[in-house]
Every structure is written in C-alpha cells, then in structure tokens.
Amino acid sequence: MPRIKILLFFILCIIKVYPQINDSIFSDRPDGRFISTYGYLITELENTKPALSYDSTMSKLQFYRWQDDVKAAMENIMKFPMNNNNLPDPVCISTEQKDGYVLEKWEFYPFPKCVSTFLVLKPDNVIDKAPAVLCIPGSGRTKEGLAGEPGIYDCYTEEISSDHVTMALDYAKAGYIAVAVDNAGAGEASDIEHYSNSGNYNYDVISRLLLEMGWSWLGYTSYLDMQVLKWMKSTDYIDKNHIILSGFSLGTEPMMVLGVMDKDIYAFVYNDFLCNTQERAVVMTKPNKYGNRPFPNSIRHLIPDYWRFFNFPDVVASLAPRPIIFTEGALDRDFELVKNAYEKVNAINNVKCYHYPKFSKKEDRLQIEKLPKGLDSKTYFRMVNVDPPSHYFKSELVIPWIDSLLK
Amino acid sequence: MPRIKILLFFILCIIKVYPQINDSIFSDRPDGRFISTYGYLITELENTKPALSYDSTMSKLQFYRWQDDVKAAMENIMKFPMNNNNLPDPVCISTEQKDGYVLEKWEFYPFPKCVSTFLVLKPDNVIDKAPAVLCIPGSGRTKEGLAGEPGIYDCYTEEISSDHVTMALDYAKAGYIAVAVDNAGAGEASDIEHYSNSGNYNYDVISRLLLEMGWSWLGYTSYLDMQVLKWMKSTDYIDKNHIILSGFSLGTEPMMVLGVMDKDIYAFVYNDFLCNTQERAVVMTKPNKYGNRPFPNSIRHLIPDYWRFFNFPDVVASLAPRPIIFTEGALDRDFELVKNAYEKVNAINNVKCYHYPKFSKKEDRLQIEKLPKGLDSKTYFRMVNVDPPSHYFKSELVIPWIDSLLK
C-alpha cells in the first residue's frame, strides 16, 4: 500500500512540476548556453561540488585531516572578530529559587557597546561539577520560552506549559544544568517587535546590516553563543568535559558552528531535519502565486561562501565520533552519509537517528538520491520525509538519550 | 518663503520622527550598551568610517595613490573570476538598417554555459573610429528600451516614444555610437517574468544565489558589462580613447565599478541622485506599517564589504579628472566632496552637477551635513533633494554636455 502511495505521489509531482521545469531551467539552445541569468546560476549552483564534501572513501587518517580542514574553513567563513579581547566577565544579575532548581539571569558583554543575556537553570541536586546543556532556540523562540518563563513582553510569551517548547526546563527537570541563550535579534535582543504585539522577530534587517558589513547572522549569533560557551567552561560547577549543545530548528545552525570550532563539546542534540540547503535551493524552483521563483528561506540563513565548502550533512559528519542525536529525520541518504563517518571512526553507536513519527517506518519514507527540480515547499518537505506540524523539541527522545550517555 | 518652508518641514520631521528615534536606537542603560541587536548594529554601522573615504586634505600625490587603493579594493570586492579566460569572441546575430543608424544585435559568452546579448546603434554618419557610449539601464529597464525597440516580450516593452527612456537611441540620434546592455536578470536575461505579464524582474532570487556563492549581483553584472566594454575597445570603428559610460538609476552602480577598474574610460554620465547608501541605511529607521524597520533597498544592492571601504561619493571622486555629469542632484555636501577631488587635480571644469529641476535653486535645497535617524523613504528623498517623479534619463542635459566634450 505505501509503495502505491509513493508511486502516485511521484506521478502527481511530475504532472504538477513538469511545466515549470521547462520554464528556462533547461537551455533550449543547441550550444546548451543559458540566456536567463537564473537558469545559468541555478545550473552553476547545481554543479558546484563543495570543496570539503564528505567523501566516504577517505581513510581514517584522511578523515581526521579533513576534520581540521572543515574547522579551518568554518573559522574563515564565520569571521569571528580577531581583536575583540579583554571582554568583561559575565555578571549574574538575578537569582530565583524555583521548584527544584535555581534560575539565574546573566549579562555578558560581547562587544564594547553591546550587552546580551542568558539564563542558567541549576537543579537543586547539583553539588559538584556537573554536565550542562547549552540550549539554542528556534527562530520564533526565546531563552525565556526554553526556560519555561514568560516572555520579556507579553506578546513574546510562548507555550510554556508544553515540554515541546521548554527545552532548558526539560533538561533541568532531568537533573542537568541548562543554559539558555537568545538568537541575535530575538526576544530580549529584539528591537520594536513588541509594539506591534508580535513575536515575529525581524531577523532580516539585522542580517542585512551584518551582510553589508561583511559578516552574517550566523557568524554573529555563533560568536555570541561562543562567549556563553566560554563562560560555561570557566565556571566551577560545570563539568567542561561534558558540555552538550542542543539546537532547535534555526538553533541547529549555530550549534553546528560551535561544534566544529570547539572540539571540547561533548555531544549534540540536533532537533530539526537534517537538510542539504544547497540542494533545496536548486530544486525549489516552482514559481509562487506571483509568478516568481522564490528562494527557500530568508537572508538570516545567507552565509556567503558556505556552499563552496560544505553542506549541513558534511558539517555534521565532521563532528564524529562525538555523540549526536537527530530527532526529526532527513533523507536516509543524508543519515547514511553521517553514519558512514561515525563508522569510519568506530563510533557508530554514537549517532542516533530518529525520523518524524509519520515516517518512522522505512517503507513510508522516500528513498531519493537526487531530488528533481520544480518543487514547492510542501512537496519538498514531503520528499525529504518532513512533517512540519510535528516540528517541536522532542524531549521524549532526547532526555533518555542523554541519560544513556551520562548516567 | 522657501526658508520658512524648510523650517516647517524640519519641525514636522521632528514631530513625526521623534517617537521612533527613541525606540531603542539610543541605549537607555547607564553604560550605553545596546541589548537590541538592531540598536547595536545600526550604531556600529553609523560609526563605521570606510577605510578609503575621500579625504579633502590629501595632497595631489596622495590622491593618485588613493585612487590606486580604491581600484584595488574595488577589484577585491567585485571578485571577478580569475580563471575564466579564452572566451569566444562576441558574434553579431542580426543587422537592421534603421532611420539614420544601423541596429546590430550581438551575442557574447561570459561563461562556458552562459550567453548574453547587447545592441549596437551605429549612426550612418560614422565612418572612421568614433566615440561610443556604453548604456546601462535602470532596474525596470532593458537594452531594448534604451534602443527604442519593443521588448523581448510584449509586457517588457517600455515607453519607447519618450526620449526620457531611450538613452541609447538619443545618443545615436546625436551622432554617437551607442551600445546597450541588459542588467543581469532583466529583459532578455530574465527568467519567467513574462508569464505573469510583468516587467518586474526578479533580481532578488539571482542576487541571493550569487551571494550564497560568495559573489554579488553587482559583481556579476559588472563582469558581464566589462566583457562588452572589452569588445568595444577591440572593434575597429570605436575610438577606444573616447568611450563614455552612461548609467541610469541602478545602472550607475556597474558604471562606477567599470569606471574605477578601467582607467581607459573617457567620461561618465551619472543619471541618478548621488547617494550615500551607508548613511541612508543608518537614517531610514522609521518602522513601516507592519511595525518593522525596513532596509532601504533590496539585496540586489547588497555588496558585502563595500561600506568598509567607501561610499558612492568617494568612488565617484576617485574618477577625477575624467569628465562626469550628474543629472539628478544630491546633497550639496556630496557634490562638494566630488568637486573637491576634481579641483585637487585641476579639473573642476570636468564635473558638471545638475539638481532635480524642483531643487535647482540653492535656497530650495536642504543643506545638511548629517541626516537625522527616523526617516521613511519619502522624508529621506526630500532631505537629499530628490524628486522621485522626475527620475528619468535627462537627454536634454546629457547630449549637449557630451557635444561640448567631443565636438
């Protein structure tokens, strides 16, 4: 039955997609040249093989060298400032006893004219140095939401009665120290979004400013997160050998950056589907209702040069052998790539891959090596085994996995 | 009377603007630090003095060295491909005798999988090597519009009965060889915009693709224009010592790039207002109707790192002593900067500055050294002496000026 469904789905795709495919993404000239700038560029992007793509034929030694290359390239791309030293130490600005844990709020000072904040949830049972989790939220989320606290403004308050949202609180309840940050531009770091009673944070304008200045949203927010990570490693109650990074949705992006840059990180929680964003840009070519081909996402995801070096599956593969859990699937193709890396370093047990419940059975998943062009968002998600309504923090998978690592 | 108008305008601005100014663009902390990412970044941008800003105190010798520095920085920022040699020669694919000139259509081959096109308008009276003008259109315009020809698709046809549009035809009628190009992504280089009966070219998606790949729309389109320029210099009927670049609106951006990179260009027609885009981004902070602060323009204008080195007035100043005409004004402040450069190299007569007719009298123009924050688009344009409805190709100013140079 599922196979017939999949066949029908493909036939439907071909019918829906074909007319768009033929709209100048193939050159109709005998010499194969494109006159459409879009046609030329999308073809170029399709043919751009990132210089540091994971190669399953690497030897173990070559793999370790490749890891260093990935780290060096990531450092170049993220452009962390070189001469921004002697920053003041973070300062605890409030402490509150909660039910089973202490909630602290801290300020840190990543640049001379900038202050940022994070929350610490310290379970009462923590006495000596203990493992800790750095929690990075999704795009519509905040550190307050992660901690189960009301938002900085009423309109920023999330569904904090749900453990699908309160990642940091879930960890604290499970006995782990949790540190929660905001994404640059969101929550307490937002601008005037609360005046319009909105938690739709305006990432675009800050991303644009950063890009104009030669940086990127991901470089900036990862740099801030790195300061919090440094502070975590410096405290006397966090076991710096057991720091876990936990990223939800957008938060998986800085998580990957920090993971590559800091080899001290112990393990990773990847709570989104594992996406090949280069391929997504190449195949989501279906015109929108205005007749334009949209780009799959906003410029907060724009990282100049990233695809010249790697895609997310490559980056994640470079984290081997450190433990990682994926909670929201991917194409089996991409999970296999990551598993291959973990196998290479004899650590296959350190990678745990869950699909969305809807696609947990292999026969319900599409097995695709190369996605076709002409997809819209909905078709794309279906093809890569993503069930958008079930996108949430999966504490039910994550906490037992962390327990199994640490207890 | 005009002075009273200006005073009233300022009072109105302060009343309109003040509430927004206070919305977190000033830090309300004793230490002056920003918690809002936007507040921090906009302040950083405001305090970023480009490394190659024009300095009126430079000696003549220092000025020439600075010109070389501007050229070197522009080459770095524009990232023209290094290993893209041995391109096929352009090919003439059609020739048509028109009333007083021959219209040729040419193909050129800027990349192995890419073809692009340009038009040549050769007046009948041209016999020997003659001056020529490379015409670069605005964002909604095409080479066909510049040449007075119907669009590639009906919906791309412009107001070709108006010499406010037909830049290249205007030059040809005045006896000059005119070469007209498309902007990358527009007209014949567009994608599927004609299906929605639209001449709103989708620059955003191609700009995004280019930025992801580490390039920029301006770098790409300038590279294409540079190939046409090379061809112009190679023909036996164009006097390569008298090539003029003429840019309308968006087309002024590649014009500046080519002007800086190629010292052989003889003269420049700058048909837009001379804008300090860095300052514009800093001051246009007024929230839109959705309560968001917009960025002043789309990502086709996003050129990573540009503002770290210069702004348009600096770039134009670096063109001295080569003749240039501005047809649509600016702040007097910015014209004075450019004139200072031309004076320094004893070429003040080579710079001709016209304001919009509405602001031709000095007493009607605002004299502003530093614009205030909190502006929307309309207020900004008024403050920099721009009259948007009168934005068109000003052949009435340009042709006599070129005649005065060449005849």
Side-chain angles (χ1 to χ4, degrees), chain A residues 79-182:
Chain A
K79 299 185 180 179
F80 284 8
M82 304 293 277
N83 302 314
N84 189 39
N85 304 316
N86 301 320
L87 300 175
D89 289 331
V91 171
C92 180
I93 58 170
S94 75
T95 304
E96 192 181 347
Q97 180 64 51
K98 295 277 192 173
D99 181 19
Y101 64 98
V102 171
L103 176 69
E104 294 175 349
K105 182 167 180 175
W106 288 71
E107 278 187 1
F108 67 111
Y109 311 97
F111 300 101
K113 287 181 185 157
C114 180
V115 58
S116 193
T117 49
F118 60 87
L119 298 177
V120 183
L121 288 75
K122 214 184 303 180
D124 293 341
N125 61 352
V126 167
I127 300 165
D128 207 357
K129 276 184 186 287
V133 190
L134 175 57
C135 305
I136 312 177
S139 60
R141 306 293 179 82
T142 64
K143 64 185 184 304
E144 287 76 23
L146 296 180
E149 296 292 313
I152 292 289
Y153 297 99
D154 285 349
C155 58
Y156 292 0
T157 298
E158 298 162 43
E159 294 281 313
I160 48 179
S161 60
S162 165
D163 65 359
H164 291 181
V165 169
T166 56
M167 181 202 291
L169 183 59
D170 299 351
Y171 288 130
K173 283 181 179 169
Y176 302 107
I177 298 167
V179 177
V181 295
D182 279 321

Side-chain angles (χ1 to χ4, degrees), chain A residues 14-216:
Chain A
I14 289 165
I15 293 167
K16 277 180 71 179
V17 158
Y18 184 74
Q20 279 82 37
I21 290 184
N22 220 17
D23 287 344
S24 69
I25 302 191
F26 293 116
S27 166
D28 53 6
R29 291 169 54 102
D31 63 5
R33 289 176 184 266
F34 287 93
I35 187 137
S36 141
T37 306
Y38 179 83
Y40 169 64
L41 291 177
I42 206 84
T43 308
E44 275 300 294
L45 182 61
E46 186 174 10
N47 294 327
T48 298
K49 184 176 156 64
L52 297 174
S53 296
Y54 175 76
D55 173 3
S56 63
T57 69
M58 280 187 278
S59 70
K60 205 165 165 177
L61 184 63
Q62 285 170 325
F63 176 83
Y64 291 129
R65 283 190 195 137
W66 171 78
Q67 279 186 315
D68 290 338
D69 292 343
V70 169
K71 180 170 187 278
M74 188 67 88
E75 284 168 350
N76 278 332
I77 293 167
M78 288 302 137
K79 299 185 180 179
F80 284 8
M82 304 293 277
N83 302 314
N84 189 39
N85 304 316
N86 301 320
L87 300 175
D89 289 331
V91 171
C92 180
I93 58 170
S94 75
T95 304
E96 192 181 347
Q97 180 64 51
K98 295 277 192 173
D99 181 19
Y101 64 98
V102 171
L103 176 69
E104 294 175 349
K105 182 167 180 175
W106 288 71
E107 278 187 1
F108 67 111
Y109 311 97
F111 300 101
K113 287 181 185 157
C114 180
V115 58
S116 193
T117 49
F118 60 87
L119 298 177
V120 183
L121 288 75
K122 214 184 303 180
D124 293 341
N125 61 352
V126 167
I127 300 165
D128 207 357
K129 276 184 186 287
V133 190
L134 175 57
C135 305
I136 312 177
S139 60
R141 306 293 179 82
T142 64
K143 64 185 184 304
E144 287 76 23
L146 296 180
E149 296 292 313
I152 292 289
Y153 297 99
D154 285 349
C155 58
Y156 292 0
T157 298
E158 298 162 43
E159 294 281 313
I160 48 179
S161 60
S162 165
D163 65 359
H164 291 181
V165 169
T166 56
M167 181 202 291
L169 183 59
D170 299 351
Y171 288 130
K173 283 181 179 169
Y176 302 107
I177 298 167
V179 177
V181 295
D182 279 321
N183 286 316
E188 197 168 11
S190 69
D191 176 28
I192 52 173
E193 288 85 334
H194 55 281
Y195 286 122
S196 47
N197 219 26
S198 160
N200 288 324
Y201 305 113
N202 187 3
Y203 288 98
D204 276 13
V205 71
I206 57 168
S207 302
R208 178 71 188 269
L209 289 170
L210 285 160
L211 289 159
E212 292 282 355
M213 293 192 258
W215 212 359
S216 64

Side-chain angles (χ1 to χ4, degrees), chain A residues 24 29 33-34 37 40 47 107 109 111-115 185 189 191-192 202 208 212 214 293 295 297 305, chain B residues 24 29 33-34 37 40 47 107 109 111 113-115 185 189 191 202 208 212 214 287 293 295 297 305:
Chain A
S24 69
R29 291 169 54 102
R33 289 176 184 266
F34 287 93
T37 306
Y40 169 64
N47 294 327
E107 278 187 1
Y109 311 97
F111 300 101
K113 287 181 185 157
C114 180
V115 58
D191 176 28
I192 52 173
N202 187 3
R208 178 71 188 269
E212 292 282 355
R293 298 196 209 271
F295 198 85
N297 57 25
D305 283 328
Chain B
S24 70
R29 291 169 54 101
R33 289 177 186 267
F34 287 93
T37 306
Y40 169 63
N47 294 327
E107 279 187 0
Y109 311 98
F111 301 101
K113 288 182 184 155
C114 180
V115 57
D191 176 28
N202 187 2
R208 178 71 187 270
E212 293 283 356
R293 299 196 208 269
F295 198 85
N297 57 25
D305 283 328

